[in-house]
Amino acid sequence: MGQGEVPQLVLDINGQTWTLDPNRTYWLGRNPQADVVLTDDRISWNHASLTHDGGVWWLQDQNSTNGIWQGGTRQAHVRALPGVEVRLGNAQDGPRLRFTDGAPQPATPAGGGAGAGADLHGAQTSYYQPGRTPLHGTPAMAQQAGYQVPGQQQPQGTAYPQGAPYPQGGPQQGGYPQPGQYPQGPGGGIPAQGGPAGGRQTIIRDLAGGRPTRIGRALDNDLVVADLSVSRYHAELRALADGYEIVDLGSHNGTYVNGQPVQRAKLGPNDTLAVGHSSFRLVGNRLEEFVDTGEVSFSARGLTVTVKHRGQPKNLLEGVTFGVPQRSLVAVIGPSGSGKSTLLRALTGNRPADQGDVLYDGRNLYRDYAELRSRIGLVPQDDILHSQLTVRTALRYAAKLRFPGDTDAAERNRRVEEVLNELGLAHRADNKITALSGGQRKRVSVALELLTKPSLIFLDEPTSGLDPGLDKQVMEMLRSLADDGRTIAVVTHSVANLDICDHLLVMAPGGKVAYFGPPQDALPFFGHDDWADVFQDFDRYPDYDWAGRYRGSEHYQVYSADLESVAPQNHGIGMGQQVVPPKPQSWGSQLGTLVRRYFAVIAADRGFLALTVALPLVMGVLSLAIPADYGLAPAPEGRNNIDAIYVLLVLAIGTCFTGAANSVRELVKERVIYQRERATGLSRSAYMMSKVLVLGLITAVQAVLLGVVGLIGRDMPEEGLVLPSQPYLEILLVVVLLSFTSMMLGLVISALVETSERTMPLLVLVAIVQVIFAGVIIELHDRPGIEQLAWLAPARWAVAAQSATIDMSALRPPSENGPDPLWEHSAGIWFLDVTVLLVIAAVCGFVVVRMLRRHEPEVMRSR
């Protein structure tokens, strides 16, 4: 070694190696622009750095969450010498880093330690060639592909990407790397692959031997994908005589070929296989992998949405075209009625445009919605979490619903903690969401979407109702998210912090684009110094061709002309409905999570709990105000017990009111939450059943309390009809069934209304209807029309069943039309009354399920 020369140091991560240049610093982390990208979820965004200082290499912790570990001890910095080994993120099974002096090292076997990659069939290194995508693979693969291999003579004039870590034995220029020029090493469960810009990292995997290649999250797979949206054993690639086929292994989020979910499909060289955020393509007997790192472009092309208005077509959007580069923050503003909300639904696929394309990194979102939906986050204007829960608890339940059923609690909780740290919510994690400020609640909603690592995040009015300081905080948070490698689009009425954004889209009335370009050019474009004047112009000149003015500008030529040069596709709203995306979990697993979460929400709401206990007790006490000397039993011979029917009426009305009051707001208050969870794969029937089970149990307990208090001390007939020795229990059973049916009727109201405020008038109306049609105040039999209408009232059948039990026809004087046939003292009539009561409950359940469908993203509605 000559005077002044620095000893050679080589970084080895699970078989991939880099010769380190002492003239520069290397960054390691999950950041796609790091020099060495590690995709393990335990690795921080910027986890560590490698720096040469004073003749010594140092591995420095950059305030990472899970640290650097050497010999089981966490270290702030480690002296990097040949032979030193450390782990990142976890002392036992985190990604392993080894430093050598460049001498040949034995290849790390597949699965050799957690954090190792898939079966790489030999040590893998990064190889470069001018004008070509960096290749990561074995020397044989590199030679076959025409790349320069270490040990061979480098051709004269070979160029290397500025700032990229160079392959072993090659020269390197210093300087900070630029986007798209990052060859990356492995980490976590899969090798992190270097590749072209555009949000994809690339690696070539050898499928040598023709043996099946199993793909999944577990470390014993042949191809490990460290993505929580991927099942442990997700799919298997099998060799055929004339090619390969992919077989789904019962994965939760599905296996996709060319954007469509498949169970088994043959793969050709032009087919794209997608598993989680990774896509694969066959290249001979090798598999080329692309990992969606989040840096993706996004564009809308010719979006038009048309509805019928008074029998005439009306455009809510008309020819909207714009493109958003990767890692950008774009704001959408415009006056009321300019189509901002419609545009948001079209961009997210919730309501596909009637005409036009939405392109995710060049792929049609509507066509491939089943696959791409998990890569798009949507934060509505209203909070999408249960505010009664703590931040950490709410996120854990959300993670349980969104991640595959085979994801264990430790994996989910680790991801939740990462998101809390990333958004600065760790110190608020144990606070109830209701106790947070408006800006912090919006951060929690964003945190929910970040759980699944979406590449695109859309926000609807995130600063609505916030003061200027919180408004700026939220916009700065969005700026940070975009800088971290995501594309963010925000619909807003606030114009105070538009300068933070990269691009601004201004919508004119009629759903047309009035401007798209840099925010600083927008006001000069409109010839004003204030946005209020711009919006006033929209009102003053409603017939002015704002879109035509924009199309004649330089901004249009720079930002939109190329997109409009390709004609958009025509398709109906049904596009994307033909394939129902798979659910992330089984129906039973979703139901169990929903039930547990619902109980947790109720337990955290002390006011609701107090009302739940007090309401049936109060209604039961009110029924005691009816003076019934003989209770529900026959009076002495020659006398009538006319008060018995009024006892049953008050008992029925109290039961109906209590049951309906429990559920009348449950669906409408969670509508935004349901819509978002449904878009991510929530089962409609599982959601409905969770409400039925939890509310049904609460309602049944309330009914028992109400019945016991309302019947306490009252005389009973000696025998019942179906429970001969227990007429009291027979009456109490009908009270429970009436309460359950009323609860189902309350769910119908909740699914019908648009706001919670409208539920109370309907609840009062339902109670009055029960009074009128119970068959007590007015006689219903032998009155055509009214009698049939009364069949829809649950109280009619409940009072009739109880009247049959106590033989009401014999307790009161005969009426003009004779005894009510539904009160006949027979077991057959009792079963008829109870059966109809249950049928009404079942019909209500069916109606609720159908009405829930109206509030779902249109692409999620089954035909």
Side-chain angles (χ1 to χ4, degrees):
M1 185 179 301
Q3 182 71 22
E5 292 187 40
V6 178
Q8 176 175 270
L9 188 67
V10 175
L11 171 63
D12 183 321
I13 305 180
N14 299 330
Q16 294 194 27
T17 57
W18 291 263
T19 298
L20 302 178
D21 179 3
N23 296 316
R24 57 162 303 193
T25 296
Y26 295 87
W27 291 88
L28 296 80
R30 286 190 298 107
N31 187 343
Q33 293 192 4
D35 300 290
V36 179
V37 175
L38 303 163
T39 60
D40 192 302
D41 289 337
R42 295 166 293 184
I43 302 301
S44 296
W45 194 253
N46 295 306
H47 195 100
S49 64
L50 264 171
T51 306
H52 186 268
D53 184 20
V56 179
W57 280 97
W58 293 97
L59 179 66
Q60 300 269 6
D61 189 351
Q62 298 296 322
N63 296 318
S64 65
T65 302
N66 296 315
I68 299 173
W69 297 84
Q70 183 182 27
T73 303
R74 181 165 179 167
Q75 305 288 348
H77 54 268
V78 174
R79 185 172 181 178
L81 298 171
V84 170
E85 289 189 6
V86 298
R87 288 191 181 271
L88 304 183
N90 187 278
Q92 285 75 39
D93 60 0
R96 182 179 61 186
L97 279 64
R98 180 170 56 184
F99 299 96
T100 71
D101 58 4
Q105 301 290 329
T108 302
D119 186 354
L120 303 180
H121 304 287
Q124 304 229 346
T125 306
S126 304
Y127 301 96
Y128 303 89
Q129 185 167 314
R132 298 184 62 182
T133 298
L135 170 68
H136 299 260
T138 63
M141 292 164 53
Q143 289 178 351
Q144 183 176 354
Y147 286 76
Q148 181 67 33
V149 176
Q152 295 181 348
Q153 183 179 359
Q154 289 281 13
Q156 294 296 321
T158 298
Y160 291 83
Q162 178 72 13
Y166 55 88
Q168 200 167 333
Q172 168 68 8
Q173 300 293 327
Y176 193 79
Q178 301 299 315
Q181 297 180 338
Y182 293 80
Q184 295 114 359
I190 63 169
Q193 306 83 10
R200 291 185 299 272
Q201 303 170 346
T202 312
I203 190 171
I204 301 293
R205 297 184 180 274
D206 193 0
L207 299 176
R211 60 183 178 82
T213 300
R214 192 173 60 191
I215 305 171
R217 198 177 74 251
L219 295 172
D220 58 346
N221 285 285
D222 300 291
L223 199 162
V224 180
V225 181
D227 181 350
L228 289 183
S229 65
V230 176
S231 297
R232 289 186 176 276
Y233 302 102
H234 197 102
E236 192 170 78
L237 188 64
R238 300 173 182 173
L240 303 175
D242 57 346
Y244 290 88
E245 70 169 352
I246 187 70
V247 178
D248 186 85
L249 300 179
S251 66
H252 293 280
N253 282 328
T255 302
Y256 299 85
V257 173
N258 300 326
Q260 303 303 312
V262 299
Q263 294 299 317
R264 179 187 296 264
K266 187 175 180 180
L267 289 181
N270 296 322
D271 293 327
T272 299
L273 166 67
V275 172
H277 287 186
S278 296
S279 299
F280 304 87
R281 182 168 294 173
L282 285 172
V283 181
N285 289 325
R286 299 189 299 272
L287 198 62
E288 187 176 30
E289 179 182 0
F290 304 91
V291 179
D292 187 339
T293 63
E295 297 185 38
V296 298
S297 61
F298 185 78
S299 61
R301 190 171 62 190
L303 297 183
T304 299
V305 174
T306 305
V307 297
K308 288 289 185 179
H309 179 67
R310 297 179 180 177
Q312 299 296 323
K314 177 184 178 180
N315 286 337
L316 301 182
L317 292 180
E318 185 175 334
V320 175
T321 298
F322 66 96
V324 182
Q326 60 188 27
R327 302 181 65 192
S328 294
L329 173 60
V330 58
V332 181
I333 66 172
S336 299
S338 59
K340 300 187 298 297
S341 297
T342 303
L343 176 62
L344 189 65
R345 290 194 296 269
L347 294 177
T348 56
N350 285 354
R351 199 289 188 188
D354 300 304
Q355 183 180 13
D357 306 318
V358 176
L359 303 178
Y360 173 100
D361 204 24
R363 298 177 59 186
N364 191 303
L365 173 64
Y366 299 157
R367 184 192 64 212
D368 299 343
Y369 180 80
E371 175 193 343
L372 298 178
R373 63 181 177 133
S374 63
R375 308 187 193 183
I376 297 176
L378 172 62
V379 181
Q381 182 175 349
D382 298 323
D383 293 334
I384 51 178
L385 289 166
H386 293 87
S387 58
Q388 300 90 340
L389 302 177
T390 66
V391 174
R392 180 178 281 114
T393 300
L395 290 179
R396 286 183 175 181
Y397 276 117
K400 174 68 173 169
L401 283 173
R402 296 196 178 195
F403 289 136
D406 61 2
T407 308
D408 60 43
E411 291 177 296
R412 294 193 305 270
N413 294 343
R414 186 162 57 238
R415 179 58 188 156
V416 167
E417 297 305 317
E418 284 185 350
V419 170
L420 289 173
N421 287 320
E422 183 176 356
L423 291 180
L425 290 169
H427 65 296
R428 296 288 189 182
D430 295 320
N431 293 115
K432 285 189 176 182
I433 297 175
T434 52
L436 303 180
S437 67
Q440 289 170 336
R441 286 200 302 271
K442 193 58 61 177
R443 283 177 179 265
V444 176
S445 294
V446 174
L448 169 63
E449 295 302 313
L450 290 183
L451 289 174
T452 54
K453 300 183 179 179
S455 305
L456 296 170
I457 301 178
F458 295 89
L459 300 99
D460 187 10
E461 300 288 353
T463 60
S464 177
L466 302 184
D467 62 49
L470 292 178
D471 184 310
K472 187 173 183 179
Q473 284 183 18
V474 171
M475 293 301 292
E476 288 177 342
M477 172 193 68
L478 300 181
R479 175 73 267 171
S480 176
L481 292 176
D483 293 338
D484 282 346
R486 303 175 183 90
T487 302
I488 312 291
V490 52
V491 174
T492 180
H493 278 110
S494 173
V495 296
N497 298 288
L498 296 179
D499 57 317
I500 293 178
C501 303
D502 298 299
H503 296 85
L504 177 64
L505 174 66
V506 182
M507 300 293 294
K512 301 176 182 179
V513 176
Y515 173 83
F516 181 72
Q520 61 269 22
D521 295 346
L523 285 174
F525 176 85
F526 289 104
H528 290 292
D529 297 325
D530 188 88
W531 281 108
D533 296 330
V534 177
F535 282 25
Q536 284 184 351
D537 280 355
F538 288 146
D539 291 333
R540 290 171 183 163
Y541 312 108
D543 297 327
Y544 184 78
D545 186 8
W546 297 101
R549 181 174 183 268
Y550 168 65
R551 284 195 296 270
S553 68
E554 293 182 357
H555 289 90
Y556 171 80
Q557 296 299 323
V558 173
Y559 297 105
S560 299
D562 289 344
L563 289 172
E564 286 201 336
S565 63
V566 181
Q569 301 176 7
N570 288 312
H571 56 75
I573 295 177
M575 192 68 176
Q577 298 178 17
Q578 300 173 4
V579 177
V580 179
K583 300 176 177 59
Q585 298 180 30
S586 66
W587 187 89
S589 179
Q590 286 193 358
L591 176 62
T593 301
L594 290 169
V595 168
R596 289 193 296 273
R597 183 178 69 178
Y598 197 12
F599 273 123
V601 170
I602 292 174
D605 191 344
R606 296 181 180 178
F608 179 82
L609 286 176
L611 184 62
T612 298
V613 176
L615 185 58
L617 295 178
V618 171
M619 299 306 294
V621 170
L622 289 178
S623 69
L624 292 177
I626 303 298
D629 295 333
Y630 311 111
L632 302 180
E637 186 174 353
R639 302 182 66 177
N640 295 312
N641 185 1
I642 60 175
D643 295 328
I645 190 64
Y646 297 110
V647 173
L648 296 184
L649 175 62
V650 175
L651 200 62
I653 299 309
T655 303
C656 288
F657 186 83
T658 303
N662 283 339
S663 59
V664 75
R665 296 181 65 245
E666 286 305 305
L667 300 182
V668 65
K669 75 179 183 181
E670 291 186 356
R671 184 156 298 157
V672 176
I673 299 175
Y674 171 73
Q675 288 173 334
R676 184 63 195 130
E677 291 182 343
R678 176 68 175 145
T680 60
L682 179 68
S683 166
R684 183 192 309 150
S685 59
Y687 177 78
M688 171 65 182
M689 187 56 66
S690 71
K691 296 296 183 185
V692 172
L693 291 178
V694 176
L695 289 175
L697 178 61
I698 293 173
T699 300
V701 173
Q702 287 180 310
V704 171
L705 288 176
L706 192 155
V708 168
V709 174
L711 297 175
I712 191 170
R714 298 193 186 276
D715 295 333
M716 290 287 154
E718 294 182 359
E719 293 185 352
L721 291 172
V722 294
L723 299 173
S725 61
Q726 297 292 337
Y728 179 87
L729 294 181
E730 191 172 303
I731 294 174
L732 203 59
L733 175 60
V734 176
V735 172
V736 172
L737 295 179
L738 175 59
S739 181
F740 178 81
T741 304
S742 300
M743 180 269 294
M744 297 299 295
L745 187 59
L747 288 178
V748 172
I749 296 174
S750 192
L752 175 66
V753 299
E754 296 298 328
T755 63
S756 296
E757 289 75 14
R758 296 182 181 179
T759 59
M760 290 301 105
L762 291 177
L763 178 61
V764 173
L765 177 62
V766 166
I768 294 174
V769 168
Q770 303 304 314
V771 174
I772 300 300
F773 289 144
V776 177
I777 296 179
I778 61 174
E779 293 186 6
L780 299 173
H781 60 286
D782 290 336
R783 299 189 65 180
I786 295 181
E787 180 178 12
Q788 286 71 35
L789 187 61
W791 291 348
L792 301 177
R796 166 65 168 149
W797 302 98
V799 171
Q802 293 170 330
S803 297
T805 296
I806 65 175
D807 195 8
M808 183 64 70
S809 298
L811 297 184
R812 58 182 297 177
S815 63
E816 295 182 6
N817 299 329
D820 192 325
L822 296 181
W823 293 2
E824 182 182 332
H825 187 60
S826 72
I829 293 297
W830 187 92
F831 277 114
L832 172 64
D833 295 335
V834 168
T835 300
V836 175
L837 195 61
L838 292 176
V839 168
I840 293 175
V843 171
C844 287
F846 176 79
V847 171
V848 170
V849 171
R850 298 302 296 176
M851 295 182 73
L852 281 175
R853 182 177 177 273
R854 297 187 307 122
H855 303 293
E856 297 173 358
E858 294 190 29
V859 291
M860 297 295 294
R861 301 178 188 176
S862 58
R863 292 183 179 274

